[in-house]
Amino acid sequence: MKQFLITMAGVFAGLMVFLVGVPIMLVVMALSSASPAAVPQKSVLELDLRAPLTDQAPQNPLWNIGRNSTAVMSIIETLRHAETDDRVRGLLLRLPEGGLEPAMADEIRLAVLRLRAAGKPVYAHSQGVYPGGVVTSTYMLGRASDQFWMQPGSSLQVTGVATEDLFLKRFFDKYGIAPQFEQREEYKNAVNGYLNSDYTPAHKQATLSWLGSVYQSNLAFAAADRKADPGALRQALEAGPYLAEDAQRLKLIDRVGQVREAQQALLEKAGDGAETVSFDDYANARDWRERRPGDSIAVIEAEGPIMTGRDQGTNPFTGGSTIYSDDLAEAILRAGRANSVKAIVLRINSPGGSDTASEQILDAIRVAKARGKPVVVSMGPYAASGGYWIASEASAIVAQPTTLTGSIGVFGGKFALGEAAARFGVDLRQTGVGGDYASAFNMGQTFTNAQRTAFAGWMDRIYANFIARVAAGRNLPVERVREIAKGRVWTGAQARSLGLVDEVGGFYQAVEKAKALAKLEGDVPLRRMTPTEGAFEALQKALGVSATSARTLVAAAWIFGDPRAEAVLDQLSEAKLREGGGGTVLAPTPLR
């Protein structure tokens, strides 16, 4: 009877998805295929950066329509085209009130500077910049414009960069939870919050180091773009916070006014009859995205944690990103086989994940290189741990100065919950057959000495493999890699000085590097070969036609907004990444 009810619930959920989802799907497809509105002959683009940004557009046809202004890669591609589009007469940037991820701000800044160099004025407007994330990145981007406006009475609070970490050791001690983790080495601090009640010296040192590098880079660019003295600018900012009127008096910004006033000033500069055009509307005019025949450079994008397998489309109605090793490896191999593809640019934004998934993707890069196709990695905000494992043997690596990279290390382990559960009347008992290690990852007990020794040895071997990949790919002695590895996170600027990165720059610098390595000249078209799925494939997954009734029921609960189902699925996803039975090459959470 219970199974019958579950089955019927699954059928009902599937019917509801069909009745609701299919019409929505058809409407979305119709809208996406409709002809875009004509772009006025005198257009001022308005780009709003206040919504959360991703590095790349989610590879999901049900989520990705018309969201060009929330993905950095879409933004810079659109601005690249706007440089030579006579209809575009200027750009208005709406800045967020908090911080931007530093490398995202770096990438957009380069696009803004190129647009200005093409004779297109750029105005930035802020309704205030308040503590929260790397606010110096937001300020830096404002300074890259021709005019930096702030709303009257708003606040400029750009006095530094700070972060805060959560430490749970005392909580775990109180409730009998025993975290059992191995780290390689002392800077691999992804699980420090479970093991300690404060920063270790290595954790503190590394955090201050990359924070300082990001801070220095932001201030240097903010000063350089206005031909100001970096020391004087830093002193003035750190003496804040300021109201907009005071910031203007100190020449930290250019103008004080409402956004409508900044918009009107830019329209007047653009000429009689100029109109404001939404950035998304302009980007969706796809006539300029047509692929040309002939030699090309493949662009493959990869964003999110790295996992084995394929994208099963668990929730096709959301835009979350994950790197699946089968999908990404096949995309790289396909580009390697394509005769018209002469080089590959792999864009990575990832904190890492599974070591075996990372190795599978790295192997595909080796095969593509063996076919004579240079593979250049363009690092986004984050290409660390498993993200660096993937990049380690590329033909060249290009990173932004504030990209967080490195974290060459590994961790793994478990939580022993037996004592904690017993306090609430729950008893965990173990039984099994075979060797002693078979029960190593049972939650009810801590590791035995033999299990801990065996597990530590395995972590050592994964770490050694990681070191070997980096040494071979970067042409560095193994001992030198061990010195600069130890799980430590570096910025792109620091990694360049250590030999872990070849060049400091953005995506289009990586394209130029790929052209040079492939001996290509002139305007070479880019061919996007990122793994994705078609709209009807996404719909099939949404309907769960191949899933069990139970999975359909859970998916339906997710679709209909049941927070309990969302929480369970989120926990399962996180657990899969951090489960102790596998080597995890995952870096700390990036600072936003």
Side-chain angles (χ1 to χ4, degrees):
M1 184 65 182
K2 181 179 179 181
Q3 182 60 43
F4 172 77
L5 291 175
I6 293 176
T7 302
M8 290 304 296
V11 171
F12 174 75
L15 286 172
M16 287 299 295
V17 173
F18 182 83
L19 293 173
V20 177
V22 170
I24 293 174
M25 172 73 174
L26 293 175
V27 170
V28 169
M29 291 175 64
L31 289 174
S32 66
S33 62
S35 298
V39 177
Q41 289 304 308
K42 294 181 180 180
S43 298
V44 170
L45 306 183
E46 185 167 331
L47 173 57
D48 194 338
L49 298 176
R50 293 173 297 175
L53 291 177
T54 60
D55 183 62
Q56 301 156 27
Q59 303 308 314
N60 186 326
L62 301 182
W63 185 256
N64 194 27
I65 295 170
R67 294 175 181 268
N68 301 286
S69 62
T70 59
V72 171
M73 289 292 286
S74 297
I75 289 171
I76 64 171
E77 179 186 18
T78 302
L79 291 179
R80 183 80 164 193
H81 173 68
E83 293 173 21
T84 56
D85 188 342
D86 292 337
R87 298 171 300 178
V88 176
R89 302 297 179 90
L91 172 70
L92 177 64
L93 286 175
R94 302 291 304 276
L95 298 176
E97 295 180 10
L100 285 167
E101 283 199 31
M104 288 184 178
D106 284 338
E107 195 77 68
I108 298 172
R109 170 183 170 271
L110 291 175
V112 165
L113 294 179
R114 287 184 59 93
L115 194 66
R116 290 180 58 193
K120 313 292 178 80
V122 179
Y123 289 6
H125 188 274
S126 169
Q127 291 178 284
V129 185
Y130 304 93
V134 187
V135 291
T136 50
S137 293
T138 302
Y139 180 72
M140 174 196 72
L141 188 54
R143 296 267 293 194
S145 64
D146 291 280
Q147 291 188 16
F148 187 176
W149 291 60
M150 288 192 72
Q151 182 171 304
S154 60
S155 183
L156 181 68
Q157 300 187 23
V158 183
T159 58
V161 180
T163 185
E164 187 173 56
D165 292 291
L166 190 66
F167 294 92
L168 299 170
K169 184 179 185 302
R170 293 195 303 116
F171 172 82
F172 287 163
D173 289 346
K174 179 178 180 179
Y175 289 100
I177 300 171
Q180 302 250 284
F181 287 93
E182 290 286 332
Q183 300 162 279
R184 300 293 181 273
E185 294 283 344
E186 66 267 29
Y187 293 99
K188 194 69 177 180
N189 52 50
V191 293
N192 272 12
Y194 305 148
L195 304 174
N196 304 286
S197 56
D198 199 351
Y199 294 101
T200 64
H203 190 173
K204 189 81 166 182
Q205 176 193 5
T207 302
L208 287 174
S209 176
W210 68 257
L211 275 178
S213 180
V214 167
Y215 188 44
Q216 181 178 356
S217 177
N218 287 168
L219 292 180
F221 285 137
D225 289 344
R226 295 304 183 93
K227 297 180 173 56
D229 176 70
L233 177 62
R234 177 173 182 167
Q235 184 177 10
L237 288 172
E238 291 182 358
Y242 303 104
L243 290 179
E245 291 77 6
D246 295 325
Q248 182 185 26
R249 178 177 52 81
L250 293 170
K251 298 183 178 180
L252 297 175
I253 63 170
D254 302 302
R255 300 284 298 274
V256 175
Q258 299 290 345
V259 65
R260 60 174 175 78
E261 296 175 296
Q263 184 182 73
Q264 185 59 38
L266 191 51
L267 287 171
E268 291 173 0
K269 192 174 184 66
D272 292 340
E275 301 178 40
T276 301
V277 176
S278 159
F279 191 84
D280 285 337
D281 287 346
Y282 176 73
N284 287 332
R286 298 184 181 273
D287 55 306
W288 51 268
R289 299 186 184 212
E290 294 179 1
R291 198 180 125 218
R292 290 169 285 160
D295 292 345
S296 62
I297 295 174
V299 175
I300 300 174
E301 295 164 308
E303 182 166 29
I306 304 166
M307 300 176 66
T308 57
R310 298 182 183 279
D311 182 0
Q312 299 299 319
T314 305
N315 181 15
F317 291 103
T318 66
S321 296
T322 301
I323 299 172
Y324 291 96
S325 59
D326 283 11
D327 293 339
L328 183 55
E330 285 182 10
I332 295 169
L333 293 173
R334 186 168 63 253
R337 291 191 297 266
N339 292 330
S340 63
V341 171
K342 303 303 179 184
I344 300 169
V345 174
L346 176 61
R347 175 74 169 197
I348 299 175
N349 180 37
S350 173
S354 162
D355 65 308
T356 52
S358 301
E359 178 66 14
Q360 180 185 358
I361 297 165
L362 177 58
D363 176 71
I365 291 175
R366 295 188 190 114
V367 172
K369 288 173 59 182
R371 288 178 173 269
K373 311 289 177 74
V375 179
V376 177
V377 165
S378 168
M379 291 182 168
Y382 216 52
S385 206
Y388 191 81
W389 189 310
I390 292 172
S392 61
E393 296 185 29
S395 307
I397 301 174
V398 180
Q400 289 287 5
T402 57
T403 294
L404 297 185
T405 187
S407 194
I408 302 165
V410 61
F411 74 86
K414 69 173 183 178
F415 290 102
L417 304 177
E419 181 183 342
R423 295 183 184 185
F424 295 92
V426 178
D427 296 311
L428 294 170
R429 303 286 186 247
Q430 295 79 37
T431 188
V433 296
D436 176 63
Y437 196 75
S439 63
F441 289 95
N442 287 347
M443 293 189 300
Q445 61 187 17
T446 59
F447 289 122
T448 66
N449 289 337
Q451 289 170 345
R452 188 77 185 231
T453 299
F455 180 61
W458 186 26
M459 291 291 100
D460 288 337
R461 289 189 290 276
I462 296 174
Y463 183 51
N465 285 340
F466 200 166
I467 295 288
R469 304 300 182 269
V470 176
R474 303 305 304 164
N475 194 27
L476 293 169
V478 169
E479 288 309 312
R480 173 57 179 160
V481 177
R482 286 190 180 276
E483 289 175 9
I484 60 180
K486 300 183 179 180
R488 183 163 178 175
V489 174
W490 305 97
T491 63
Q494 293 171 325
R496 171 69 181 85
S497 66
L498 295 169
L500 298 177
V501 163
D502 294 291
E503 295 183 15
V504 171
F507 170 74
Y508 286 105
Q509 283 82 350
V511 171
E512 291 302 315
K513 184 67 175 179
K515 283 174 56 178
L517 292 175
K519 296 180 172 57
L520 298 172
E521 297 181 354
D523 183 17
V524 181
L526 304 182
R527 178 180 174 186
R528 184 162 271 102
M529 299 185 72
T530 302
T532 186
E533 62 184 5
F536 287 104
E537 292 169 315
L539 181 60
Q540 181 185 30
K541 290 175 180 178
L543 295 176
V545 293
S546 61
T548 64
S549 298
R551 279 189 61 192
T552 305
L553 184 60
V554 174
W558 193 341
I559 292 167
F560 295 135
D562 187 331
R564 295 167 298 179
E566 293 180 9
V568 169
L569 289 170
D570 289 344
Q571 290 170 17
L572 289 175
S573 176
E574 180 74 8
K576 186 170 183 180
L577 273 177
R578 294 185 180 272
E579 87 181 341
T584 305
V585 279
L586 192 69
T589 303
L591 181 66
R592 297 179 185 274

